[in-house]
Amino acid sequence: MSVIRKLRIRINQWQQKLLYKLVKTKIIGADKDKIELDPVQPVIYAMLYPSYAEQIVINKEVSERGWQAPFQQRLNGTLPGNPYFGIYRRPGNPFRKDGLATIPRHLKRQAEWMLADDSRDIQVMPVRVMWGRSPERERSFLRIWLQNAGSLGGRVMTFFAILFNGRNTFVHFSEPLSLRELAGGETSPELVARKLARVLRVHNRKVTKSVLGPELSHRRTLVHQIPNRPMVRHAIESEMKENGLKREKLRKRALKYADEIASNISYTNVRFLDILLTWVWNKIYNGTAIHNIEQVKEVGKDNTVVYVPCHRSHIDYLLLSYVLYHHGLQLPQIAAGINLNMPVVGSILRRGGAFFMRRTFRGNPLYAAVFDEYLHSVFTHGYSSEYFVEGGRSRTGRTLSPKAGMLAMTVRSYLRDSKKPMVFVPVYTGYEKVFEEKSYLGELRGKAKKKESLLDVLGTLRSFKKSFGKVNVTFGEPIHLSPYLEERHPGWSNQDYEACNYRPDWAPELVDELATTVVTEINRAASVNPINLIALAILASPRQAMDENQLMRHMEAYRDLLAMVPYSDMTVLPDGHASDWLAHAEELGSVSRSKHDMGDLIQTNERQAVTLTYYRNNVLHIIALPSLIACLLLNNRRCTQADILESCQALYPFLKAELFLHWTEDTLEQAVNSWLDVLEQRGYLEVSDGCYHCRIDGNNLPMLQSLADPISQTLQRYFLSISRLKHQGSGNLTAQQLEEQSTLLAQRLSLLYGINAPEFFDKALFRALIRQLIDSGMISCGEDDVLSFDEDLNPLMSILENLLDANLRQTILISL
């Protein structure tokens, strides 16, 4: 090695060490494990602008990933010219935002080198180095100016950019392109270089949109534009005619509403939350596992993304924003209830992307119009957004019936302007322990829901001494809105909806269907954690206590069954062994241990038992079908495959409506047969003379009984409610009366027989059952809301009788 070459290497190392005194990088973009580089062919790196500081950063990050360092490649003379090139050059005017498109001369020489030999190829990897990352127009002009230092000018500006923003530097790697494939049959080096530059410029625009998002107007400007928007003007005119109010007064009121609603994303606040939440997650969580985020990165390049997560905890929106930010995706605008707009906390949430909405718009058309227009502004700018279709947090752990209000406004906005494609991304968040356990427990026992306050928020600081386990965040299958609309209402995009105020007759039914699709896709993305498995096993045992070894066998049996017949291709199961899971559950306080000479017992007190129903309900939909099959076989000596399928098909519409199951009528039979095969394979069932029956030898029967338990309480509710209806007779009860009486009976049974499952007497579940009975035609609802029925109800009643224990059925009938 020559002296000059050694000196160059040494100088590069010094420069790198000096720069990284000021720089702290975060890698975003394509997953390292999915980037495939051919070690034989050279790699060149496409930057936005030529920058020596960025070259040093790229060289270090590439080296740390085990790829051939560009600096070393240049020293070796692998290919002519510099392994870095910019697709833009800096404009002469430092205040001009956009750079000038360019094609470097050495890129043409490299294309010529490749074309000279058919065995040669050049891998082109687009890289963006961002000195800081602000998702909007920041109030600090200096910081914004310096974030675009690459386009502003020379080394002095870059130095100040690094000085001010270097500790928050993001490096975005994209998957490499093959220059040989891109060239196709082209033989001109100049045309190949031009083609590459065009492709990279398009790619850069997509990356900018995906990572930073489009630039929203300054909040003050946006708010002051709202009263001039069409829907707000129309609402003001209507209020003037109906109530005789003055235009200026109504405009001021509209401004007040807009100011109350609008978010105010602040880069400084985002950085503060990033530091704070990093500390919080490390303090209280054992880790956060992210699944399927790569497809979100892909759809985010060309679509307006609407995140629709399940709602289990107030942590949900903080956690999702944190995950997106650290994976190189733009921060969403988050719909939050006005109850969270508390002193101090509300301001922090607003500056982190939250916009606030009142619980109801009823009786206030002006507020509804302002909110509509604000939401439309967010969508048409292409900014990502986030809201919870369940409306509020689930107190029982189940996915709640969706409230379609926000979806309706989203579809309405899309009918107004569908130039930018829109996609819904369902998100499932699986906790091993939620912050609100204590308050949920109180509310489920009948306490009134407590209004959030600053003191409550400060009180959660005491929770930082506890561990809350691990969190799974799974991004579900994206729902593209345009194809969804086209499939259900062909030709929708060719119609003019202005006359109906963008509320066509077909929209309500479609929105309801879309809402159900969203929550069904959320459930498809559900993950299973150790606490879910412990809840499934121990809650099925008498007195919610089990021998330690038996509990561990049941937990592993559940895991193995779900691995053999996954609920969906996104189902995530826990790693490790049952002994690790049990130790983890004890650490979280989910169960307790009683020492005994003949073997330790794992048990729960009343609080733990009720709390564990929450985590069992998180995954109830995943286990519902095999649980139903187990119920049928335990309560009947022998069943043919046809009998089992008939019972499952009869009850499936009710379970699907309640648990948002994803199978269709066509795929249900295959799912039932798959579970029968696996239960037989695992030794829980036997087949003789064409009939299935339970195996009663060995340790398999207790596991089958455990498998039957999760869905049995749901079937008991069905039997109770239908029995009450039949007992009172056709035409003697309204839907509301049946709902209330069923709830009271369920509460009574719960107290008498120690059923530690608050959802057993949940009014909403009885309401959903009655609605499904009406939709299926088994009962009818008259003008006075009176319920009538005939013999069509008998087959369902007969199937429920076959699924429940005789003593339990008799107990319910006596209670009527």
Side-chain angles (χ1 to χ4, degrees), residues 16-44:
Q16 184 173 287
K17 287 181 180 180
L18 180 62
L19 180 62
Y20 272 76
K21 294 287 185 182
L22 301 173
V23 169
K24 184 177 180 181
T25 58
K26 170 72 177 177
I27 304 302
I28 57 178
D31 189 345
K32 173 199 168 186
D33 296 332
K34 295 184 179 179
I35 294 179
E36 297 182 0
L37 286 175
D38 186 343
V40 176
Q41 302 294 353
V43 185
I44 59 177

Side-chain angles (χ1 to χ4, degrees), residues 166-463:
R167 304 301 292 175
N168 190 32
T169 297
F170 288 79
V171 185
H172 185 286
F173 286 101
S174 299
E175 294 186 15
L177 308 170
S178 167
L179 190 57
R180 174 70 63 180
E181 291 181 7
L182 188 67
E186 185 58 62
T187 58
S188 168
E190 184 171 351
L191 292 179
V192 171
R194 286 182 180 277
K195 187 175 182 180
L196 174 62
R198 285 198 303 272
V199 169
L200 290 172
R201 283 193 285 271
V202 172
H203 173 78
N204 171 69
R205 285 194 290 271
K206 291 182 178 180
V207 168
T208 301
K209 188 265 176 185
S210 176
V211 176
L212 301 180
E215 186 176 341
L216 281 178
S217 300
H218 190 279
R219 183 179 190 274
R220 184 186 297 273
T221 305
L222 175 63
V223 166
H224 278 78
Q225 287 176 347
I226 292 291
N228 300 321
R229 303 290 295 173
M231 286 188 176
V232 179
R233 289 204 313 268
H234 178 74
I236 288 174
E237 294 293 336
S238 298
E239 288 273 325
M240 289 172 61
K241 291 178 182 178
E242 293 176 11
N243 301 319
L245 298 175
K246 293 183 179 180
R247 184 187 304 275
E248 190 57 34
K249 183 177 180 179
L250 291 170
R251 282 181 58 85
K252 288 181 179 179
R253 187 181 297 175
L255 277 172
K256 182 181 177 182
Y257 290 156
D259 188 62
E260 175 189 301
I261 294 167
S263 71
N264 187 24
I265 293 182
S266 161
Y267 176 65
T268 304
N269 192 85
V270 169
R271 283 293 300 133
F272 165 74
L273 285 175
D274 177 33
I275 295 168
L276 175 64
L277 292 178
T278 298
W279 177 79
V280 169
W281 304 148
N282 292 334
K283 187 75 174 176
I284 66 174
Y285 291 126
N286 295 339
T288 304
I290 314 300
H291 311 283
N292 301 334
I293 197 169
E294 291 303 318
Q295 64 179 348
V296 181
K297 294 178 181 179
E298 196 59 36
V299 299
K301 294 177 182 177
D302 301 304
N303 300 275
T304 296
V305 178
V306 180
Y307 297 97
V308 276
C310 63
H311 203 6
R312 302 283 192 259
S313 168
H314 281 315
I315 293 293
D316 294 339
Y317 35 78
L318 295 174
L319 180 60
L320 182 55
S321 292
Y322 182 84
V323 167
L324 295 174
Y325 182 75
H326 277 267
H327 280 80
L329 293 163
Q330 60 164 296
L331 288 173
Q333 302 278 310
I334 309 164
I338 195 68
N339 57 308
L340 293 178
N341 193 17
M342 298 175 278
V344 183
V345 174
S347 178
I348 293 174
L349 294 177
R350 193 187 296 275
R351 291 173 182 273
F355 61 93
F356 295 98
M357 58 186 295
R358 298 182 181 181
R359 288 300 181 188
T360 179
F361 299 176
R362 196 169 299 166
N364 195 341
L366 180 58
Y367 180 87
V370 170
F371 192 88
D372 256 336
E373 287 292 3
Y374 176 77
L375 204 61
H376 186 63
S377 296
V378 170
F379 292 144
T380 52
H381 277 83
Y383 233 80
S384 66
S385 57
E386 174 192 340
Y387 51 75
F388 302 100
V389 291
E390 296 171 275
R393 290 167 291 153
S394 172
R395 267 68 176 174
T396 64
R398 292 168 174 244
T399 299
L400 302 178
S401 296
K403 294 178 172 60
M406 288 292 292
L407 281 173
M409 285 185 276
T410 304
V411 171
R412 188 182 183 195
S413 172
Y414 199 64
L415 294 179
R416 288 176 66 184
D417 186 349
S418 57
K419 294 175 185 176
K420 184 76 173 177
M422 181 176 287
V423 63
F424 295 97
V425 176
V427 186
Y428 179 88
T429 307
Y431 297 97
E432 293 180 341
K433 190 172 184 177
V434 294
F435 267 95
E436 296 91 341
E437 265 186 11
K438 187 176 180 180
S439 64
Y440 287 174
L441 192 61
E443 290 174 33
L444 290 171
R445 286 172 169 168
K447 288 185 180 179
K449 180 182 174 183
K450 191 176 180 182
K451 185 178 179 181
E452 284 82 1
S453 69
L454 183 58
L455 289 176
D456 290 333
V457 175
L458 295 175
T460 61
L461 294 175
R462 290 176 295 179
S463 300

